Amino acid sequence: MTRLLTNEIASITELREPQKVLARANGKPVAILKNSKPVAYLVPAEAVQDPGENRIATIDEVMAALEATRAEAQPVLDYLKDK
């Protein structure tokens, strides 16, 4: 059984009226099915992140993230130290 990456689905036949499919999906990606198997995903423009929103983390942000997860990662780091 194939796992779908979205809860919204539509058939190839429903794509005759894509505006209805997109309206029903409320801005979420839609899995397109043919014979009950996924063949494509239709991703509305509003579901795609604006590339201008991406930015590079500062070294302080990276260090803070590492420190925040250090307690969880420490057993693994200790194990790898001997390898």
Side-chain angles (χ1 to χ4, degrees):
M1 176 178 230
T2 303
R3 184 177 182 155
L4 296 178
L5 303 175
T6 182
N7 292 332
E8 307 297 327
I9 61 170
S11 67
I12 292 284
T13 306
E14 289 177 284
L15 284 181
R16 290 179 183 161
E17 299 180 86
Q19 69 280 3
K20 287 185 180 179
V21 173
L22 291 172
R24 188 180 71 218
N26 293 321
K28 296 178 184 171
V30 180
I32 308 301
L33 304 181
K34 181 178 181 181
N35 298 327
S36 300
K37 294 183 180 176
V39 293
Y41 286 91
L42 178 61
V43 182
E46 61 261 23
V48 179
Q49 182 182 18
D50 179 16
E53 293 179 15
N54 294 336
R55 66 176 188 83
I56 298 173
T58 64
I59 190 68
D60 293 332
E61 292 171 330
V62 172
M63 294 308 291
L66 288 173
E67 285 302 319
T69 59
R70 188 170 201 60
E72 184 180 336
Q74 193 60 51
V76 175
L77 295 172
D78 292 340
Y79 172 79
L80 292 174
K81 192 183 295 184
D82 296 336
K83 302 299 173 207

